Amino acid sequence: MAGGGYSPGFNPHLPGLRHTFLSKALGATMWFFLFYRVRKDGGKLIGKHPWEGHGHGHGHGEEEHHH
């Protein structure tokens, strides 16, 4: 296409201010929710369970009581 500003194809209009704001607000809400859930449940997603790694019952002298 040489020269002109007219294109005969599909020419969508720009979204209004309300739709732009709503899309940004919903997108931000989605990301905040995802980050919140990763903070709370992220260890479970990578295979770490909350009961692992606390050392309860392992190496705190309890083996001596079981003899």
Side-chain angles (χ1 to χ4, degrees), residues 8-34:
F10 177 64
N11 295 315
H13 66 285
L14 294 175
L17 184 61
R18 186 180 340 165
H19 289 115
T20 303
F21 176 77
L22 184 62
S23 68
K24 289 181 182 180
L26 288 174
T29 303
M30 175 196 68
W31 283 110
F32 289 139
F33 178 76
L34 284 174

Side-chain angles (χ1 to χ4, degrees), residues 27-47:
T29 303
M30 175 196 68
W31 283 110
F32 289 139
F33 178 76
L34 284 174
F35 289 143
Y36 173 77
R37 292 314 310 167
V38 166
R39 184 174 152 225
K40 295 294 183 180
D41 297 333
K44 294 175 199 164
L45 293 174
I46 60 172

